[in-house]
Amino acid sequence: METLQKGLEIEAQRVSSSINAGDWSWAFWPLVPLYPYSKRRTVRTEAIEDTIWTFDQIQGILYTVVPIRMTVVKLSEGGLLVYAPVAPTKECIRLVKELVAIHGDVKYIILPTASGLEHKVFVGPFARHFPSALVFVAPSQWSYPMNLPLSWLGFPRNRTQVLPEDSSLVPFAVDFDYAILNINLGRGSFVEVALFHKKTRTLVLTDTVLTVPEEPPACVQLDPYPLLFHARDSALDVISDNEENRRKGWQRISLFALYFAPIALEAISPKEAFRDAMKAPDRSRKAYFGLYPFRWKDDWKRSFDRLRGGGRPFVAPILQTFILDHAPRKTLDWADKVASWNFQQIIPCHFHSPIQASPHQFRQAFSFLENKPTVGEANSRNQLLPQEDFAFIIELEQKLDKRGITRSPLEKL
């Protein structure tokens, strides 16, 4: 693990020193206006020697930034498969083409989700850089406010196909197996394609399972300002760059990103927030004019440690509450199928990668569905997340249900 982290840091330093800022430009950022908007830097890492590479960028809201990841796998017949493209900046495409020059062209591009705009928006632009690649998309694609043909959303008309349920029917079946989780949520479907690379015993996922690292990932440290912004205890603190603050900021960002409003966070009154903003040492636009409308409780680190759970895989709280509990039996059947593969590491699209994990550890991440009456209670056997940190998400779900935006789970075990 230390070797991997060191490799990430070396790659980050290489990127920082050798790339023109124009190579980070992403012109279509208004389609999904997430930070860092028009500038997206890319960190490429060799996850499995000479076989699998990850391409990390960052995205977020209000400096709550986390990695978004593309995975590239070398095919046994030559060429490359791309899972979940990221923003195809000049830098990103150059890094991919360096692999193409050695291993052959991109043959297949996979969109492994139906609802994840942060993944879908990149596929069409990415595919245009590799005009011979076939594009395979997860089933039940949808768009809002109206469903549009994929070609209208930028997908190449003559080379885009829907992944069949039977993974033996795709041209890359010799190297991969996959399983599709498809949950109808009413206005659209949540879909996740779990992809298993047989040779390296690697499971590639989108959103369902992740781990949170203790230290901030290398791609997040390329521009540490968001980390330092969230490391402060109040608007009156100076934004100071050091290793401790980067770690502190990352851990708080993780709580924000996964719980939205963890129990360790307290909002302060608008009056107090504006009063502190007027006294803040930095009132620049970059610092949101000094506004910092919350404070962290003294025991906030305990919340992070319980979330991290020693690095064990888990399902993000938003998926536990809004999505997977709508189809627990279907989800568990899918998890059982995925757990039948003999993988030894997992590469998700967010947070840490690769995760050294067994099929049993993967399956345990879904145990909250089998303990629904006590979901969130401290349970060392099932490693459930603490109920008190779910309070905001549960309240939000109830409000959305009342307005008809979402619906309560219909299926129970």
Side-chain angles (χ1 to χ4, degrees):
M1 192 64 68
E2 291 181 1
T3 302
L4 176 61
Q5 183 64 30
K6 187 174 292 184
L8 285 169
E9 292 171 356
I10 291 172
E11 179 69 7
Q13 293 169 1
R14 182 197 66 76
V15 168
S16 181
S17 62
S18 64
I19 300 300
N20 186 306
D23 291 348
W24 307 331
S25 178
W26 169 238
F28 300 112
W29 68 268
L31 296 174
V32 183
L34 298 175
Y35 183 90
Y37 311 116
S38 63
K39 299 292 183 183
R40 291 190 172 235
R41 303 168 75 174
T42 306
V43 173
R44 184 185 68 195
T45 303
E46 188 176 59
I48 305 293
E49 185 177 2
D50 200 41
T51 306
I52 299 180
W53 299 263
T54 57
F55 291 68
D56 284 15
Q57 297 177 356
I58 64 166
Q59 67 177 25
I61 299 174
L62 302 177
Y63 294 141
T64 302
V65 297
V66 298
I68 179 170
R69 181 173 299 113
M70 171 176 77
T71 302
V72 177
V73 186
K74 182 174 73 174
L75 300 166
S76 59
E77 61 181 14
L80 302 168
L81 177 144
V82 175
Y83 180 99
V86 291
T89 62
K90 289 181 180 179
E91 176 188 32
C92 176
I93 296 303
R94 180 182 61 78
L95 291 172
V96 174
K97 288 188 173 180
E98 287 178 1
L99 300 181
V100 167
I102 300 171
H103 304 290
D105 208 356
V106 172
K107 290 187 174 182
Y108 312 110
I109 298 169
I110 311 296
L111 171 62
T113 179
S115 54
L117 284 178
E118 76 276 21
H119 301 289
K120 188 181 298 189
V121 70
F122 302 130
V123 177
F126 185 92
R128 285 196 285 275
H129 290 276
F130 302 97
S132 64
L134 294 178
V135 178
F136 288 89
V137 303
S140 302
Q141 292 294 320
W142 58 282
S143 57
Y144 183 84
M146 64 178 65
N147 281 319
L148 298 172
L150 287 176
S151 60
W152 290 23
L153 299 175
F155 288 71
R157 183 187 301 273
N158 297 323
R159 51 192 178 100
T160 299
Q161 306 175 30
V162 176
L163 281 168
E165 193 70 29
D166 184 351
S167 62
S168 68
L169 299 179
V170 293
F172 47 88
V174 65
D175 290 320
F176 298 92
D177 198 353
Y178 64 77
I180 302 173
L181 175 63
N182 191 336
I183 300 175
N184 184 352
L185 299 174
R187 298 196 176 191
S189 292
F190 171 85
V191 183
E192 169 119 353
V193 178
L195 186 70
F196 175 54
H197 186 235
K198 303 170 189 176
K199 179 180 178 181
T200 62
R201 296 167 59 189
T202 300
L203 177 66
V204 188
L205 297 172
T206 309
D207 298 315
T208 46
V209 167
L210 53 86
T211 65
V212 177
E214 189 87 17
E215 303 292 332
C219 65
V220 178
Q221 298 201 58
L222 291 174
D223 176 10
Y225 188 84
L227 303 175
L228 307 177
F229 181 89
H230 285 293
R232 296 176 299 158
D233 293 321
S234 78
L236 305 179
D237 292 343
V238 175
I239 296 176
S240 178
D241 189 3
N242 56 60
E243 185 177 344
E244 180 182 357
N245 278 345
R246 290 189 180 202
R247 183 186 306 113
K248 184 179 179 182
W250 165 251
Q251 292 176 2
R252 290 177 171 182
I253 282 172
S254 298
L255 290 169
F256 262 131
L258 292 169
Y259 289 128
F260 301 161
I263 193 67
L265 186 72
E266 290 182 325
I268 63 176
S269 69
K271 181 179 179 180
E272 186 177 358
F274 281 107
R275 184 192 65 199
D276 288 350
M278 295 303 296
K279 300 177 183 178
D282 185 356
R283 297 194 297 275
S284 67
R285 179 179 179 182
K286 184 177 182 180
Y288 295 132
F289 308 104
L291 287 172
Y292 196 75
F294 44 77
R295 65 167 61 93
W296 291 90
K297 296 179 181 178
D298 291 340
D299 64 346
W300 70 267
K301 182 65 164 59
R302 179 172 175 268
S303 288
F304 173 80
D305 291 339
R306 295 173 74 183
L307 173 68
R308 173 170 159 74
R312 54 87 172 88
F314 65 93
V315 175
I318 188 71
L319 292 187
Q320 290 192 27
T321 306
F322 275 84
I323 308 293
L324 301 187
D325 64 346
H326 285 64
R329 184 70 269 158
K330 180 181 284 190
T331 301
L332 291 172
D333 288 345
W334 174 82
D336 286 338
K337 180 177 181 180
V338 173
S340 71
W341 300 329
N342 187 28
F343 56 85
Q344 58 186 11
Q345 62 259 329
I346 302 171
I347 298 179
C349 284
H350 302 286
F351 286 90
H352 180 63
S353 167
I355 304 167
Q356 302 304 314
S358 67
H360 173 72
Q361 290 172 305
F362 168 85
R363 180 58 178 79
Q364 276 294 100
F366 297 88
S367 63
F368 68 94
L369 291 170
E370 298 165 310
N371 296 270
K372 191 61 179 177
T374 56
V375 64
E377 291 180 2
N379 185 320
S380 60
R381 180 178 67 86
N382 291 315
Q383 300 176 311
L384 300 179
L385 297 174
Q387 178 69 36
E388 58 265 27
D389 281 312
F390 280 76
F392 177 82
I393 293 177
I394 292 172
E395 181 181 354
L396 177 61
E397 182 190 35
Q398 292 170 348
K399 290 179 179 178
L400 294 176
D401 285 349
K402 288 181 180 179
R403 295 180 182 180
I405 299 173
T406 60
R407 68 182 187 189
S408 299
L410 300 177
E411 176 191 339
K412 295 183 178 180
L413 286 178

